[in-house]
Amino acid sequence: MSIKAVGVVKRFGQFVALDGVDLAVESGRLTALLGPSGGGKSTLLRIIGGLEEPDAGTVHIDGVEATGVPAQRRNVGFVFQHYAAFKHLSVYRNVAFGLEIRKRPKQEIRRRVGELLELVHLEQFADRLPSQLSGGQRQRMALARALAVEPKVLLLDEPFGALDAKVRKELRDWLRRLHDEVHVTTVFVTHDQEEALEVSDELVVINHGRIEQVGSPEDLYDHPANEFVMGFLGPVTRLGDQLVRPHDIEVLANHVDGAIAAQVTRLQRVGFEVRAEMSAGSDEPWVQLTRGQADALGLDPGSSVWLRAAPHAASLTLQGCEGADLGEDGLRGAGPTEPGGAGAGPGEGRRGGVGAGTAP
């Protein structure tokens, strides 16, 4: 079931949360809305679901205009960061709730709930209360409950934001496999770049209430439309007048055409990789290396080297780059926080980047 938003505008007082947003989501796709806190991604999701009304613009679901249609009549499933489980009901009853209030036959409810609990690997926990589940299990229960009524569209707002890193990784792998099985049109909000790149079919980068770029994760990572998109999808650094990814910089012992002279100022090991901070004239680029690469080069603070962007590396020419502040990991400024529950989930911000020498 396709989704189409045309000219969507939403204001909260003087704050413009969405500024004429146009978006088309193809049927059966898993689309990520990615951006900083206050960028407008959660507001757009809530307008698609009918939890907020736009000040201007329209929303169509499956070719039918849904603007002004109450959320309960849009046949949309929701999953939020916090599970909103019925604490006094068993896992089975939580999943069955939407079917029971629609007065579906008991045999149909038993069949549907059984299928879903098996799908989310919770069939052995059907009689437990939500409080007896782990955080990851509760979120899988919430997804099963949302799917029970066979929604046209599934909307996920920071579904894994309250979970620790290991569980988040496990659940996003599971979500990708689940989507490949059920093929329901899904839109999910995240501020986690790695999550968006790994899970989605299509990526929508939103900032200051406007869409910066739409495309496949590979296309946006390899061909960013501007400095914001490039910086938000992974760490970047400045090399001369170019914005490049630290793992796309070659460190050379001898001069070659196009290389820039630099001196190592600091080496920092971060797990399997080495972060080499450099001084190159007025610039302070940094390079992401494996331990093997750093050892082979014999790098030490004070070492003189030459730097150049690797062939076919993604790069952007900086415009008006004098005094440009790329921040510690190259991310340009995020928008202000959205007011009153329309903003993105708590704790949004930059996450660590990708492995040295390889794109995700």
Side-chain angles (χ1 to χ4, degrees), residues 34-54:
L34 175 69
S37 294
K41 54 192 185 298
S42 287
T43 300
L44 179 57
L45 190 83
R46 292 169 66 85
I47 286 174
I48 291 171
L51 301 180
E52 297 278 0
E53 286 296 319

Side-chain angles (χ1 to χ4, degrees), residues 321-360:
C321 57
E322 287 299 320
D325 179 15
L326 298 180
E328 181 182 353
D329 285 328
L331 177 64
R332 292 183 177 272
T337 302
E338 291 179 56
E348 289 195 332
R350 280 285 288 113
R351 259 185 75 133
V354 297
T358 58

Side-chain angles (χ1 to χ4, degrees), residues 100-117:
E100 291 175 347
I101 63 172
R102 287 167 173 79
K103 301 189 182 304
R104 299 285 179 85
K106 290 184 178 180
Q107 186 174 355
E108 178 187 339
I109 293 174
R110 283 195 298 270
R111 177 188 59 79
R112 181 68 176 155
V113 174
E115 290 173 349
L116 287 167
L117 289 178

Side-chain angles (χ1 to χ4, degrees), residues 158-236:
E158 298 278 358
F160 310 139
L163 305 173
D164 63 61
K166 184 175 184 294
V167 176
R168 286 173 71 101
K169 168 66 175 170
E170 292 171 353
L171 280 184
R172 64 176 180 249
D173 291 345
W174 172 82
L175 176 62
R176 180 67 255 184
R177 293 194 301 271
L178 176 69
H179 183 267
D180 290 341
E181 290 187 44
V182 298
H183 294 293
V184 63
T185 304
T186 303
V187 181
F188 79 101
V189 163
T190 182
H191 67 273
D192 186 321
Q193 297 87 346
E194 184 179 338
E195 185 171 277
L197 289 166
E198 184 176 330
V199 173
S200 64
D201 298 314
E202 185 171 65
L203 192 52
V204 181
V205 177
I206 301 179
N207 187 37
H208 294 310
R210 297 181 180 180
I211 292 178
E212 298 278 353
Q213 192 174 359
V214 180
S216 70
E218 294 81 8
D219 185 46
L220 267 66
Y221 193 85
D222 293 336
H223 306 287
N226 53 45
E227 295 171 26
F228 176 82
V229 173
M230 187 172 185
F232 202 79
L233 289 182
V236 293

Side-chain angles (χ1 to χ4, degrees), residues 254-335:
N254 301 302
H255 177 263
V256 295
D257 289 343
I260 296 173
Q263 187 175 62
V264 179
T265 58
R266 183 170 180 254
L267 294 173
Q268 181 183 14
R269 180 180 169 187
V270 183
F272 66 89
E273 67 187 45
V274 175
R275 176 177 174 139
E277 298 179 8
M278 307 281 184
S279 175
S282 60
D283 295 336
E284 296 182 346
W286 66 278
V287 183
Q288 205 171 19
L289 302 167
T290 65
R291 289 181 62 194
Q293 289 172 326
D295 291 343
L297 288 163
L299 295 183
D300 289 302
S303 298
S304 294
V305 295
W306 295 86
L307 307 177
R308 72 173 181 182
H312 312 300
S315 65
L316 288 173
T317 300
L318 287 164
Q319 303 294 327
C321 57
E322 287 299 320
D325 179 15
L326 298 180
E328 181 182 353
D329 285 328
L331 177 64
R332 292 183 177 272

